[in-house]
Amino acid sequence: MAHSAGLFLVDRIMLVTIHEDINDSDIVELQDQLAVKVHAKGARGIVIDISALDIVDTFVGRIIAQLAGIGSILDAPTFVVGMRPAVAMTLVELGMTLPDVRTARSLGHALAQLRDSPTIG
Amino acid sequence: MPWHSCAILQPLDDPWPPASAVLFHRQPILTESDVVLGRQAVGRAMAEVGAREVRRIRLVTAVSEIFRNALRYGGGGEAVIFLDRVTKAVLVECRDNGPGIEDTALAMRDGYTSGKGLGMGLGGAQRLTDAFELHSRPNEGTRVRMMSRA
Amino acid sequence: MPMSFIQALIDSKGEEILEDWLATHHADGLTRRDLFSDAQGRQHAKTFFLALQSTLNRGADIDAFNLASDAWADVRAALAEVTRERVKRGVAPAEIAGFFLLLKYPLFDRLGAGAGTEEFSVVEQVSRLTRMIDAIAVQAMSLCIEERDRIIERQRTEMLEISTPVVDLWERVIAVPLVGTLDSVRAQEVMENTLGAIVDREADIVIVDITGVPTIDTEVAHHLLRTAAAIRLMGAECIISGISPRIAQTMVHLGVSTNGVTTRASLRAAVHDAFQRVGLTVVNAKA
């Protein structure tokens, strides 16, 4: 997974970047690591940047939904940022609208929302 | 070979591959990295025929679903990618020698899954392509053919 | 020499043939004074005829006539030029084909001059000329159709662009006013334009206004909801406004769920809502 995804903790926000060449095992491993790290470091929010992901298919979409679910159970609201227009169009056509995942236009927007939200410590 | 069950929602023209198509890439689908390599090759093929980003991403997403199915449920297989510069299209065939699908029409339906998935893969892949044929024989394997224009 | 007879004829009697050709145009009602002047009509005929004449003089073989070959490139080019010019002015395809076909008669009329020599066969010459001129007319027809297809395609694209504008309402707020009937192709176009605009204009809120959409069916309703879902996936908010009572009823009857999508009855309400969300208030300066 070393090169296909990155986890960085900045100001108690867990930043997740996913690269184009990620495969199924990598992304499952990412899910494990993320849950452990969010819990261990007491992250108050998660931002997943998918701008480098070329495609989001049903598998990756489902993992993203699960990441958001895990985040919310661990009290770390999760944002997906940087989804490209063509990727968004394809995902809705696949029937995956990710209703329980928070989205923001950019990392900056997500951080601002995490900062402003009263429920987010 | 005579197929036991087939779901042809948007039929392809005969013959396969079309006379004007050329072989672009052959990709064994035996590991997860092969799935990534296969879909990257399809992306390059779409770029080669001048597809816009939306068109390219639609086909790459569709093949990603199909290649993963071949690996997970078909025990691996092979993808063959063709380029047709005349009709500006990319054609992809994916075969596996897995257990096959008993009822392909049912498998195409959203929500159907034999594994852990959401069951949107096959139907979704069909919606994202311009032509899609699924043929299967229990105990012998599954073959999917897809075509998308640039 | 039967081969060079046509070439010699077109070379030596060029002026007469051209005049006769123009006269047959006139007689057949192909001189469209409403679309171009006599001088322009003459120019078209002359351009083509001179290209034919010089091609034959250079030794192009009528027996091996093939419009697609290099030897006939000048004829092909002149034919294309004349055809495009005429299509642009609104000449019908049949009239354009007629323009070239009528060249047969001044040539046929002069075949008698060669009769009498032993190897000369009028039938053979007629067949050669017919083969060449018919091929030219067919090529002109297909050029006409190509040219028209191009015009139709351009107009279609222009119409799609006009019919799905994205309006800058305020910083971070864009509006997509939809007018007329939405079909799947247009709905797809709307989705693409809108999502592209979110990136280009850094929009946080998108108002999709359907005040100008008279009716809606399940398919279109789903397209709208898919658009709203895609807008949300990109991190922007979508407000659908201008939903008439009839469309609201239809949507409920069709069982279309608008869960998770903000809807407003009027564009005004949507704008108010959008401004509030980006932290703007509108005040009456006179009050």
Side-chain angles (χ1 to χ4, degrees), chain A residues 80 82-86 88-89 91-93 96-105 109, chain C residues 172 188 191-192 195-196 198-199 201-204 226-227 229-236:
Chain A
V80 168
M83 191 182 294
R84 303 214 303 270
M89 283 176 78
L91 257 189
V92 295
E93 197 124 7
M96 298 207 85
T97 55
L98 305 179
D100 301 321
V101 177
R102 295 173 202 229
T103 55
R105 279 208 300 111
H109 281 76
Chain C
R172 297 158 57 201
Q188 191 76 13
M191 167 133 55
E192 264 191 79
L195 300 187
I198 291 173
V199 177
R201 312 196 187 172
E202 306 192 332
D204 288 327
R226 274 207 287 275
T227 304
I231 290 171
R232 199 192 67 83
L233 282 176
M234 289 186 60

Side-chain angles (χ1 to χ4, degrees), chain C residues 201-223:
Chain C
R201 312 196 187 172
E202 306 192 332
D204 288 327
I205 298 183
V206 181
I207 301 172
V208 178
D209 183 69
I210 59 166
T211 309
V213 178
T215 54
I216 220 166
D217 58 21
T218 328
E219 179 119 358
V220 172
H222 280 124
H223 266 298

Side-chain angles (χ1 to χ4, degrees), chain C:
Chain C
M1 282 287 285
M3 248 293 299
S4 56
F5 180 82
I6 290 172
Q7 179 245 321
L9 178 67
I10 287 178
D11 189 44
S12 61
K13 300 273 169 53
E15 297 270 315
E16 293 177 24
I17 295 170
L18 183 60
E19 285 311 313
D20 280 8
W21 186 23
L22 283 162
T24 48
H25 286 159
H26 189 70
D28 268 43
L30 291 185
T31 27
R32 293 287 301 268
R33 289 210 179 80
D34 50 334
L35 301 176
F36 48 83
S37 67
D38 277 356
Q40 282 165 328
R42 173 176 288 275
Q43 190 56 46
H44 293 163
K46 207 171 165 183
T47 303
F48 175 77
F49 192 78
L50 290 179
L52 179 64
Q53 199 175 48
S54 65
T55 298
L56 288 168
N57 285 347
R58 271 203 308 274
D61 185 359
I62 282 204
D63 270 342
F65 173 75
N66 174 9
L67 197 50
S69 69
D70 286 349
W72 296 87
D74 287 357
V75 172
R76 209 163 59 229
L79 156 73
E81 184 192 327
V82 170
T83 304
R84 294 226 168 83
E85 184 60 28
R86 295 199 153 212
V87 173
K88 223 184 290 169
R89 286 169 191 268
V91 179
E95 286 177 297
I96 291 177
F99 172 88
F100 293 105
L101 288 171
L102 286 177
L103 179 57
K104 282 181 193 173
Y105 302 103
L107 292 169
F108 289 173
D109 288 348
R110 288 170 175 79
L111 289 179
T117 21
E118 210 166 300
E119 331 158 34
F120 189 85
S121 150
V122 172
V123 175
E124 224 169 85
Q125 300 296 347
V126 165
S127 126
R128 280 196 184 100
L129 281 171
T130 303
R131 214 160 55 82
M132 176 177 80
I133 293 175
D134 286 357
I136 287 168
V138 166
Q139 171 74 0
M141 282 287 265
S142 58
L143 278 175
C144 275
I145 292 161
E146 262 175 45
E147 193 65 22
R148 286 195 160 191
D149 282 351
R150 233 194 319 266
I151 292 170
I152 291 169
E153 182 53 31
R154 202 188 58 225
Q155 286 172 339
R156 200 188 67 86
T157 330
E158 281 170 2
M159 247 169 60
L160 276 174
E161 272 165 23
I162 302 167
S163 62
T164 58
V166 177
V167 183
D168 269 317
L169 221 49
W170 205 262
E171 265 165 61
R172 297 158 57 201
V173 183
I174 58 174
V176 185
L178 299 178
V179 176
T181 322
L182 273 178
D183 57 22
S184 294
V185 176
R186 231 190 111 197
Q188 191 76 13
E189 199 89 9
V190 169
M191 167 133 55
E192 264 191 79
N193 285 356
T194 308
L195 300 187
I198 291 173
V199 177
D200 295 344
R201 312 196 187 172
E202 306 192 332
D204 288 327
I205 298 183
V206 181
I207 301 172
V208 178
D209 183 69
I210 59 166
T211 309
V213 178
T215 54
I216 220 166
D217 58 21
T218 328
E219 179 119 358
V220 172
H222 280 124
H223 266 298
L224 277 176
L225 295 175
R226 274 207 287 275
T227 304
I231 290 171
R232 199 192 67 83
L233 282 176
M234 289 186 60
E237 288 179 64
C238 176
I239 304 172
I240 299 179
S241 72
I243 301 175
S244 68
R246 198 151 62 114
I247 288 182
Q249 265 179 308
T250 315
M251 283 175 85
V252 170
H253 287 156
L254 293 173
V256 177
S257 157
T258 54
N259 268 350
V261 181
T262 310
T263 52
R264 291 288 176 265
S266 67
L267 180 56
R268 183 188 167 138
V271 171
H272 179 80
D273 210 24
F275 279 8
Q276 221 165 29
R277 289 192 207 184
V278 294
L280 291 166
T281 45
V282 179
V283 294
N284 186 343
K286 284 187 184 161

Side-chain angles (χ1 to χ4, degrees), chain B residues 18-33:
Chain B
S20 48
V22 292
L23 178 68
F24 180 76
H25 184 72
R26 258 176 204 281
Q27 179 66 52
I29 305 285
L30 301 171
T31 66
E32 286 181 356
S33 302

